[in-house]
PDB file of all heavy atoms in Angstrom:
ATOM      1  N   GLU A 467     -47.931   8.035  20.238  1.00  0.00           N
ATOM      2  CA  GLU A 467     -46.810   8.493  21.059  1.00  0.00           C
ATOM      3  C   GLU A 467     -47.060   9.916  21.559  1.00  0.00           C
ATOM      4  O   GLU A 467     -46.801  10.227  22.728  1.00  0.00           O
ATOM      5  CB  GLU A 467     -45.506   8.448  20.251  1.00  0.00           C
ATOM      6  CG  GLU A 467     -44.915   7.067  20.083  1.00  0.00           C
ATOM      7  CD  GLU A 467     -43.613   7.114  19.305  1.00  0.00           C
ATOM      8  OE1 GLU A 467     -43.615   7.620  18.170  1.00  0.00           O
ATOM      9  OE2 GLU A 467     -42.595   6.636  19.824  1.00  0.00           O
ATOM     10  N   LYS A 468     -47.556  10.765  20.679  1.00  0.00           N
ATOM     11  CA  LYS A 468     -47.849  12.143  21.082  1.00  0.00           C
ATOM     12  C   LYS A 468     -48.919  12.183  22.162  1.00  0.00           C
ATOM     13  O   LYS A 468     -48.809  12.945  23.127  1.00  0.00           O
ATOM     14  CB  LYS A 468     -48.294  12.957  19.860  1.00  0.00           C
ATOM     15  CG  LYS A 468     -47.187  13.228  18.853  1.00  0.00           C
ATOM     16  CD  LYS A 468     -47.695  13.968  17.630  1.00  0.00           C
ATOM     17  CE  LYS A 468     -48.178  15.364  17.973  1.00  0.00           C
ATOM     18  NZ  LYS A 468     -48.588  16.124  16.763  1.00  0.00           N
ATOM     19  N   HIS A 469     -49.926  11.325  22.013  1.00  0.00           N
ATOM     20  CA  HIS A 469     -51.008  11.303  23.000  1.00  0.00           C
ATOM     21  C   HIS A 469     -50.497  10.827  24.354  1.00  0.00           C
ATOM     22  O   HIS A 469     -50.801  11.435  25.396  1.00  0.00           O
ATOM     23  CB  HIS A 469     -52.131  10.396  22.516  1.00  0.00           C
ATOM     24  CG  HIS A 469     -53.216  10.190  23.543  1.00  0.00           C
ATOM     25  ND1 HIS A 469     -54.075  11.202  23.919  1.00  0.00           N
ATOM     26  CD2 HIS A 469     -53.544   9.100  24.300  1.00  0.00           C
ATOM     27  CE1 HIS A 469     -54.898  10.748  24.858  1.00  0.00           C
ATOM     28  NE2 HIS A 469     -54.602   9.478  25.100  1.00  0.00           N
ATOM     29  N   ARG A 470     -49.709   9.756  24.353  1.00  0.00           N
ATOM     30  CA  ARG A 470     -49.231   9.201  25.620  1.00  0.00           C
ATOM     31  C   ARG A 470     -48.271  10.161  26.322  1.00  0.00           C
ATOM     32  O   ARG A 470     -48.146  10.132  27.546  1.00  0.00           O
ATOM     33  CB  ARG A 470     -48.530   7.853  25.395  1.00  0.00           C
ATOM     34  CG  ARG A 470     -49.458   6.746  24.914  1.00  0.00           C
ATOM     35  CD  ARG A 470     -48.782   5.408  25.012  1.00  0.00           C
ATOM     36  NE  ARG A 470     -48.542   5.038  26.398  1.00  0.00           N
ATOM     37  CZ  ARG A 470     -47.703   4.063  26.769  1.00  0.00           C
ATOM     38  NH1 ARG A 470     -47.014   3.397  25.854  1.00  0.00           N
ATOM     39  NH2 ARG A 470     -47.530   3.785  28.038  1.00  0.00           N
ATOM     40  N   LEU A 471     -47.601  11.000  25.550  1.00  0.00           N
ATOM     41  CA  LEU A 471     -46.679  11.963  26.150  1.00  0.00           C
ATOM     42  C   LEU A 471     -47.348  13.309  26.413  1.00  0.00           C
ATOM     43  O   LEU A 471     -46.708  14.238  26.905  1.00  0.00           O
ATOM     44  CB  LEU A 471     -45.446  12.145  25.250  1.00  0.00           C
ATOM     45  CG  LEU A 471     -44.153  12.531  25.972  1.00  0.00           C
ATOM     46  CD1 LEU A 471     -43.672  11.377  26.834  1.00  0.00           C
ATOM     47  CD2 LEU A 471     -43.070  12.926  24.995  1.00  0.00           C
ATOM     48  N   GLY A 472     -48.637  13.416  26.080  1.00  0.00           N
ATOM     49  CA  GLY A 472     -49.350  14.667  26.324  1.00  0.00           C
ATOM     50  C   GLY A 472     -48.991  15.770  25.365  1.00  0.00           C
ATOM     51  O   GLY A 472     -48.969  16.955  25.748  1.00  0.00           O
ATOM     52  N   CYS A 473     -48.698  15.421  24.108  1.00  0.00           N
ATOM     53  CA  CYS A 473     -48.278  16.415  23.121  1.00  0.00           C
ATOM     54  C   CYS A 473     -49.275  16.532  21.966  1.00  0.00           C
ATOM     55  O   CYS A 473     -48.902  16.926  20.856  1.00  0.00           O
ATOM     56  CB  CYS A 473     -46.902  16.052  22.552  1.00  0.00           C
ATOM     57  SG  CYS A 473     -45.571  16.022  23.748  1.00  0.00           S
ATOM     58  N   ASP A 474     -50.535  16.183  22.196  1.00  0.00           N
ATOM     59  CA  ASP A 474     -51.523  16.180  21.117  1.00  0.00           C
ATOM     60  C   ASP A 474     -51.650  17.540  20.441  1.00  0.00           C
ATOM     61  O   ASP A 474     -51.884  17.631  19.236  1.00  0.00           O
ATOM     62  CB  ASP A 474     -52.900  15.768  21.672  1.00  0.00           C
ATOM     63  CG  ASP A 474     -52.908  14.327  22.152  1.00  0.00           C
ATOM     64  OD1 ASP A 474     -52.794  13.431  21.320  1.00  0.00           O
ATOM     65  OD2 ASP A 474     -53.002  14.119  23.378  1.00  0.00           O
ATOM     66  N   ASP A 475     -51.519  18.604  21.216  1.00  0.00           N
ATOM     67  CA  ASP A 475     -51.753  19.939  20.676  1.00  0.00           C
ATOM     68  C   ASP A 475     -50.521  20.554  20.023  1.00  0.00           C
ATOM     69  O   ASP A 475     -50.590  21.672  19.485  1.00  0.00           O
ATOM     70  CB  ASP A 475     -52.245  20.869  21.790  1.00  0.00           C
ATOM     71  CG  ASP A 475     -51.264  20.936  22.956  1.00  0.00           C
ATOM     72  OD1 ASP A 475     -50.516  19.956  23.141  1.00  0.00           O
ATOM     73  OD2 ASP A 475     -51.256  21.958  23.673  1.00  0.00           O
ATOM     74  N   LEU A 476     -49.380  19.850  20.049  1.00  0.00           N
ATOM     75  CA  LEU A 476     -48.154  20.388  19.460  1.00  0.00           C
ATOM     76  C   LEU A 476     -48.013  19.921  18.015  1.00  0.00           C
ATOM     77  O   LEU A 476     -48.148  18.738  17.714  1.00  0.00           O
ATOM     78  CB  LEU A 476     -46.930  19.949  20.278  1.00  0.00           C
ATOM     79  CG  LEU A 476     -46.890  20.401  21.743  1.00  0.00           C
ATOM     80  CD1 LEU A 476     -45.629  19.889  22.415  1.00  0.00           C
ATOM     81  CD2 LEU A 476     -46.949  21.926  21.839  1.00  0.00           C
ATOM     82  N   LYS A 477     -47.738  20.849  17.114  1.00  0.00           N
ATOM     83  CA  LYS A 477     -47.608  20.549  15.691  1.00  0.00           C
ATOM     84  C   LYS A 477     -46.138  20.595  15.267  1.00  0.00           C
ATOM     85  O   LYS A 477     -45.318  21.300  15.850  1.00  0.00           O
ATOM     86  CB  LYS A 477     -48.415  21.550  14.856  1.00  0.00           C
ATOM     87  CG  LYS A 477     -49.868  21.709  15.291  1.00  0.00           C
ATOM     88  CD  LYS A 477     -50.656  20.406  15.127  1.00  0.00           C
ATOM     89  CE  LYS A 477     -52.119  20.598  15.523  1.00  0.00           C
ATOM     90  NZ  LYS A 477     -52.894  19.337  15.443  1.00  0.00           N
ATOM     91  N   ASN A 478     -45.836  19.838  14.212  1.00  0.00           N
ATOM     92  CA  ASN A 478     -44.500  19.844  13.602  1.00  0.00           C
ATOM     93  C   ASN A 478     -43.383  19.628  14.622  1.00  0.00           C
ATOM     94  O   ASN A 478     -42.402  20.364  14.681  1.00  0.00           O
ATOM     95  CB  ASN A 478     -44.265  21.169  12.867  1.00  0.00           C
ATOM     96  CG  ASN A 478     -45.300  21.423  11.794  1.00  0.00           C
ATOM     97  OD1 ASN A 478     -45.693  20.487  11.072  1.00  0.00           O
ATOM     98  ND2 ASN A 478     -45.766  22.655  11.683  1.00  0.00           N
ATOM     99  N   ILE A 479     -43.559  18.611  15.468  1.00  0.00           N
ATOM    100  CA  ILE A 479     -42.528  18.294  16.457  1.00  0.00           C
ATOM    101  C   ILE A 479     -41.836  16.986  16.080  1.00  0.00           C
ATOM    102  O   ILE A 479     -42.376  16.168  15.315  1.00  0.00           O
ATOM    103  CB  ILE A 479     -43.104  18.174  17.880  1.00  0.00           C
ATOM    104  CG1 ILE A 479     -44.133  17.034  17.954  1.00  0.00           C
ATOM    105  CG2 ILE A 479     -43.687  19.493  18.329  1.00  0.00           C
ATOM    106  CD1 ILE A 479     -44.575  16.717  19.366  1.00  0.00           C
ATOM    107  N   TYR A 480     -40.643  16.821  16.603  1.00  0.00           N
ATOM    108  CA  TYR A 480     -39.881  15.600  16.371  1.00  0.00           C
ATOM    109  C   TYR A 480     -39.458  15.004  17.707  1.00  0.00           C
ATOM    110  O   TYR A 480     -39.176  15.730  18.657  1.00  0.00           O
ATOM    111  CB  TYR A 480     -38.642  15.883  15.518  1.00  0.00           C
ATOM    112  CG  TYR A 480     -38.951  16.232  14.087  1.00  0.00           C
ATOM    113  CD1 TYR A 480     -39.063  17.571  13.693  1.00  0.00           C
ATOM    114  CD2 TYR A 480     -39.140  15.240  13.133  1.00  0.00           C
ATOM    115  CE1 TYR A 480     -39.358  17.910  12.382  1.00  0.00           C
ATOM    116  CE2 TYR A 480     -39.430  15.566  11.808  1.00  0.00           C
ATOM    117  CZ  TYR A 480     -39.536  16.895  11.443  1.00  0.00           C
ATOM    118  OH  TYR A 480     -39.827  17.212  10.152  1.00  0.00           O
ATOM    119  N   PHE A 481     -39.418  13.689  17.765  1.00  0.00           N
ATOM    120  CA  PHE A 481     -38.825  12.975  18.881  1.00  0.00           C
ATOM    121  C   PHE A 481     -37.475  12.436  18.411  1.00  0.00           C
ATOM    122  O   PHE A 481     -37.147  12.488  17.217  1.00  0.00           O
ATOM    123  CB  PHE A 481     -39.709  11.817  19.340  1.00  0.00           C
ATOM    124  CG  PHE A 481     -40.978  12.240  20.053  1.00  0.00           C
ATOM    125  CD1 PHE A 481     -41.908  11.292  20.464  1.00  0.00           C
ATOM    126  CD2 PHE A 481     -41.244  13.574  20.307  1.00  0.00           C
ATOM    127  CE1 PHE A 481     -43.080  11.664  21.112  1.00  0.00           C
ATOM    128  CE2 PHE A 481     -42.399  13.970  20.953  1.00  0.00           C
ATOM    129  CZ  PHE A 481     -43.322  13.008  21.349  1.00  0.00           C
ATOM    130  N   TYR A 482     -36.711  11.894  19.368  1.00  0.00           N
ATOM    131  CA  TYR A 482     -35.375  11.394  19.045  1.00  0.00           C
ATOM    132  C   TYR A 482     -35.185   9.996  19.632  1.00  0.00           C
ATOM    133  O   TYR A 482     -35.835   9.622  20.611  1.00  0.00           O
ATOM    134  CB  TYR A 482     -34.299  12.346  19.594  1.00  0.00           C
ATOM    135  CG  TYR A 482     -34.373  13.730  19.001  1.00  0.00           C
ATOM    136  CD1 TYR A 482     -35.281  14.664  19.498  1.00  0.00           C
ATOM    137  CD2 TYR A 482     -33.546  14.099  17.960  1.00  0.00           C
ATOM    138  CE1 TYR A 482     -35.363  15.941  18.956  1.00  0.00           C
ATOM    139  CE2 TYR A 482     -33.612  15.387  17.412  1.00  0.00           C
ATOM    140  CZ  TYR A 482     -34.528  16.291  17.908  1.00  0.00           C
ATOM    141  OH  TYR A 482     -34.604  17.542  17.366  1.00  0.00           O
ATOM    142  N   ARG A 483     -34.278   9.240  19.021  1.00  0.00           N
ATOM    143  CA  ARG A 483     -33.945   7.909  19.514  1.00  0.00           C
ATOM    144  C   ARG A 483     -32.541   7.546  19.025  1.00  0.00           C
ATOM    145  O   ARG A 483     -31.989   8.205  18.132  1.00  0.00           O
ATOM    146  CB  ARG A 483     -34.959   6.884  19.000  1.00  0.00           C
ATOM    147  CG  ARG A 483     -34.996   6.744  17.478  1.00  0.00           C
ATOM    148  CD  ARG A 483     -36.206   5.970  17.025  1.00  0.00           C
ATOM    149  NE  ARG A 483     -36.342   6.019  15.566  1.00  0.00           N
ATOM    150  CZ  ARG A 483     -37.482   5.744  14.922  1.00  0.00           C
ATOM    151  NH1 ARG A 483     -38.569   5.395  15.604  1.00  0.00           N
ATOM    152  NH2 ARG A 483     -37.525   5.812  13.601  1.00  0.00           N
TER     153      ARG A 483
END
Side-chain angles (χ1 to χ4, degrees):
E467 283 181 303
K468 290 177 65 176
H469 173 69
R470 294 193 67 196
L471 209 68
C473 298
D474 294 292
D475 57 334
L476 299 180
K477 308 297 182 183
N478 302 320
I479 62 171
Y480 290 95
F481 289 177
Y482 298 82
R483 62 193 171 199

